[in-house]
Amino acid sequence: MELKFLDAQGKADSHVVASDAVFGRDYNEALIHQIVVAYQANARSGNRKQKDRAEVRHTTKKPWRQKGTGRARAGMSSSPLWRGGGQIFPNSPNENFSHKVNKKMHRAGICSILSQLGREGRLAVVDEFSLDAPKTKLLSEKLKGMGLDSVLLITNAVGENLLLASRNLPHVLVVEPHQADPLSLVFYKKILITKSALARIEEVLA
């Protein structure tokens, strides 16, 4: 599989040969959907809480007598049928939203995403990517000069200057190879990988 190689001006002047085991996979939409949904679900925290009929504030007095009124039977005002009553199946703070995904499936899904990004021309390789100072303006101008507005940069070692300069840009994310998650790979328009990070990805996923 050949990937575009970009120079400092963002021009594709050559190609880099990448491993077909990682970047030559078929597009598996069902698997990609599964690992993206699992990633989002595993990031959820069970912090919502609702009260059941035993927890709402109410009186235990019977609203009216059992028979003779023509109305439905009622025992107390905490009934879920009443306004201000408890929930029938309340949300609990200890809910578990996690999805289990095997390592083999996760790696296959990541490879499928990377392969499709390469075929669509959304993935490119750069020699290295660094900044002389931790300035957001420098990074913004550098990316603008390369024609990039929404980019995920995968580098083997995130320098302090690059980390500080990128954290205030909403459509730029800088990560190391092991931090590249399926949601980010799908979300950003362009994916830039340094040569050293590319070798690391092939080593882990091949």
Side-chain angles (χ1 to χ4, degrees):
M1 179 70 177
E2 290 187 346
L3 302 176
K4 292 189 298 183
F5 182 80
L6 302 183
D7 56 14
Q9 287 72 36
K11 296 180 181 179
D13 56 354
S14 61
H15 293 83
V16 174
V17 178
S19 173
D20 288 336
V22 179
F23 296 93
R25 297 286 188 96
D26 294 332
Y27 179 62
N28 191 337
E29 183 177 0
L31 179 59
I32 293 174
H33 177 269
Q34 183 177 351
I35 65 172
V36 169
V37 170
Y39 179 82
Q40 292 177 307
N42 294 339
R44 292 185 65 180
S45 60
N47 54 6
R48 20 176 225 178
K49 177 72 173 70
Q50 293 174 320
K51 295 182 179 181
D52 60 16
R53 63 181 302 164
E55 296 172 320
V56 295
R57 186 176 180 180
H58 67 284
T59 177
T60 57
K61 180 182 178 182
K62 191 173 177 65
W64 50 77
R65 65 179 189 269
Q66 182 81 347
K67 290 178 172 293
T69 63
R71 288 179 288 188
R73 295 171 292 184
M76 59 182 69
S77 60
S78 64
S79 169
L81 305 179
W82 283 45
R83 182 179 182 182
Q87 291 286 328
I88 298 178
F89 298 110
N91 294 315
S92 174
N94 58 359
E95 287 181 273
N96 183 11
F97 299 103
S98 63
H99 292 190
K100 184 179 183 300
V101 177
N102 297 330
K103 290 182 180 179
K104 188 175 181 180
M105 295 174 59
H106 182 267
R107 291 176 180 175
I110 295 294
C111 291
S112 182
I113 294 175
L114 293 173
S115 301
Q116 185 64 20
L117 290 173
R119 284 189 290 266
E120 293 178 356
R122 293 171 54 192
L123 188 147
V125 180
V126 292
D127 190 17
E128 61 178 9
F129 201 100
S130 60
L131 293 177
D132 297 330
K135 299 292 185 180
T136 302
K137 186 177 181 180
L138 291 178
L139 179 59
S140 179
E141 290 176 349
K142 186 172 184 177
L143 294 175
K144 186 176 181 181
M146 298 176 68
L148 302 173
D149 53 353
S150 173
V151 59
L152 171 66
L153 175 60
I154 305 176
T155 179
N156 202 34
V158 180
E160 184 178 3
N161 290 346
L162 191 57
L163 178 64
L164 295 176
S166 64
R167 63 183 182 177
N168 203 32
L169 295 174
H171 298 292
V172 177
L173 180 62
V174 182
V175 296
E176 296 182 2
H178 67 277
Q179 298 172 325
D181 59 88
L183 183 61
S184 298
L185 291 173
V186 173
F187 174 75
Y188 289 94
K189 294 180 181 179
K190 292 287 186 179
I191 312 296
L192 283 185
I193 306 178
T194 61
K195 278 189 174 181
S196 56
L198 179 64
R200 178 61 179 165
I201 291 174
E202 290 179 340
E203 179 185 351
V204 174
L205 297 179

